[in-house]
Amino acid sequence: NNVEVEVEDKKLEDYDIGKPLGRGKFGRVYLARTKKEHFFVALKTLFKEQLRKDNMAHQLRREIEIQFRLQHKNILRLYDYFDDEHRIFLVLEYAPRGELYEKLKKVGRFDDMKAATYIRQMIAALKFCHENNVIHRDIKPENILLGYHGELKISDFGWSVHAPSQRRNTMCGTIDYLPPEIVLRQRYDHNVDIWCLGVLTYEFLCGRPPFESADMQTTYDHITHVKFSYPNYVSDLAKDFISKLLIFKPENRMQLIEAEKHDWIKQFAITEDDVNYRCSNCGVA
Ligand SMILES: CC(=O)NC[C@@H]1CCN(c2c(Cl)cnc3[nH]c(-c4cn(C)nc4C)nc23)C1
């Protein structure tokens, strides 16, 4: 006899909707809670009409299939999705400590310990993406959220693709993070994320991205000539780490398995077991 497994499909009435958390690119995000389990989520609403107009339906489908499949502690989970007549709803993991971008703007720049601790988690997330043949392509502080313990969560897979690929959609937002091969519209692979890791590390330590300038053309030129300099407060180890990522030829960039063993990470990044060890020692935990 066939046992009917009743998998209850979640729908809007299963949630209490709370305050707006902010706007993603194509809709608003609300804090929400499941009525039954009182489980907090971030409910991202996207308007079908808007998606159709901006020809972004295929991009959303890719975001859903990628984020639904990639389950890692440093990648914001997509738990579920459903739709009604006018809207599509993504049930995302709620990151209680908000956007990393806000933290960076508030303090200006991070010291080696803070920056290396975040970059070590970013390396873990990117390694996992690349092992699953996914390139994120849009690594920047705006797309990073912070979990309950301040752990890093990359979100917004709207631009991620299966490697290797050729970008089709026009870019929106900043070009500061674009690697030369995308600026020059060449074929590219997972090494685009390695370049972005370099740009992200620089921005964590300096409070601004390395190629930033007043106008786009100058930024383009700085990127394609890898033209940037370090403020004098950047440590030698950090400079060595960044300069092995911001390399023009993708195949010459340091790979993630080398990056996680680099002295800058080894010396400055705090790992979970460091935290547990310290807590167990201070007698509080
Ligand atoms: C990185 C990103 O995707 N930002 C766009 C959306 C805005 C809120 N989104 C959240 C998403 Cl998708 C998930 N969790 C979040 N937590 C917060 C948040 C928490 N605090 C205290 N403040 C905020 C803000 N926001 C979210 C994502």
Side-chain angles (χ1 to χ4, degrees):
N1 58 338
N2 62 332
V3 175
E4 266 298 291
V5 176
E6 204 260 315
V7 178
E8 90 287 349
D9 237 356
K10 284 269 194 291
K11 15 198 200 307
L12 196 54
E13 58 261 25
D14 297 325
Y15 298 92
D16 287 319
I17 310 293
K19 63 175 181 174
L21 289 170
R23 6 178 106 259
K25 274 198 277 292
F26 293 92
R28 298 177 71 95
V29 182
Y30 297 89
L31 179 60
R33 191 181 68 176
T34 55
K35 284 178 177 162
K36 238 166 63 187
E37 308 85 0
H38 280 198
F39 185 71
F40 282 102
V41 295
L43 194 67
K44 190 169 183 178
T45 59
L46 302 129
F47 287 94
K48 290 180 178 176
E49 183 53 28
Q50 186 71 48
L51 285 165
R52 204 186 46 69
K53 266 207 306 250
D54 297 334
N55 179 25
M56 295 299 272
H58 69 284
Q59 187 144 326
L60 175 68
R61 198 186 330 280
R62 197 164 49 217
E63 175 177 352
I64 289 176
E65 85 185 16
I66 286 177
Q67 207 157 352
F68 198 60
R69 199 164 45 84
L70 288 188
Q71 303 191 11
H72 184 276
K73 64 178 178 305
N74 297 120
I75 295 177
L76 197 77
R77 280 291 308 280
L78 171 65
Y79 296 121
D80 197 3
Y81 55 95
F82 49 86
D83 68 328
D84 66 11
E85 196 189 344
H86 298 293
R87 293 167 295 181
I88 293 175
F89 300 92
L90 303 185
V91 184
L92 291 157
E93 174 182 357
Y94 171 59
R97 292 212 193 169
E99 300 187 336
L100 179 117
Y101 189 63
E102 294 308 318
K103 258 176 102 75
L104 180 61
K105 271 193 322 192
K106 199 164 70 183
V107 298
R109 57 188 168 90
F110 295 145
D111 62 22
D112 280 312
M113 199 180 293
K114 197 119 193 96
T117 302
Y118 284 133
I119 293 298
R120 193 187 52 76
Q121 296 171 73
M122 180 56 80
I123 292 171
L126 287 178
K127 262 178 79 178
F128 182 79
C129 288
H130 294 177
E131 281 156 9
N132 288 278
N133 201 27
V134 169
I135 315 174
H136 188 282
R137 285 196 323 180
D138 204 9
I139 303 293
K140 53 184 184 230
E142 294 84 337
N143 288 342
I144 298 173
L145 292 162
L146 296 169
Y148 181 76
H149 299 288
E151 71 276 23
L152 177 141
K153 305 261 181 187
I154 45 175
S155 73
D156 210 342
F157 278 73
W159 284 97
S160 54
V161 287
H162 289 100
S165 164
Q166 183 88 22
R167 173 189 297 285
R168 262 181 300 285
N169 249 326
T170 49
M171 281 300 302
C172 58
T174 168
I175 64 165
D176 281 313
Y177 274 74
L178 289 187
E181 59 270 29
I182 290 192
V183 166
L184 299 166
R185 304 186 76 78
Q186 294 162 350
R187 275 185 70 75
Y188 56 86
D189 58 13
H190 68 284
N191 288 304
V192 298
D193 286 338
I194 309 282
W195 173 277
C196 294
L197 186 71
V199 177
L200 188 71
T201 308
Y202 184 102
E203 182 161 6
F204 281 172
L205 291 168
C206 306
R208 59 171 178 80
F211 307 108
E212 185 180 62
S213 72
D215 68 294
M216 197 178 269
Q217 190 51 51
T218 313
T219 307
Y220 264 50
D221 293 345
H222 289 175
I223 292 171
T224 50
H225 296 89
V226 195
K227 184 176 179 308
F228 70 101
S229 60
Y230 298 102
N232 53 25
Y233 51 74
V234 179
S235 67
D236 291 344
L237 271 182
K239 283 191 248 189
D240 185 74
F241 181 79
I242 294 169
S243 58
K244 285 172 177 162
L245 300 169
L246 296 184
I247 288 177
F248 183 85
K249 287 187 72 174
E251 59 274 17
N252 293 351
R253 292 170 197 157
M254 174 166 61
Q255 293 302 293
L256 293 171
I257 42 168
E258 301 158 82
E260 67 185 1
K261 288 190 288 238
H262 189 278
D263 285 346
W264 183 66
I265 297 288
K266 302 300 280 181
Q267 186 171 331
F268 291 110
I270 301 171
T271 61
E272 294 93 53
D273 29 21
D274 291 340
V275 174
N276 301 338
Y277 176 74
R278 194 183 314 187
C279 296
S280 62
N281 263 14
C282 72
V284 174

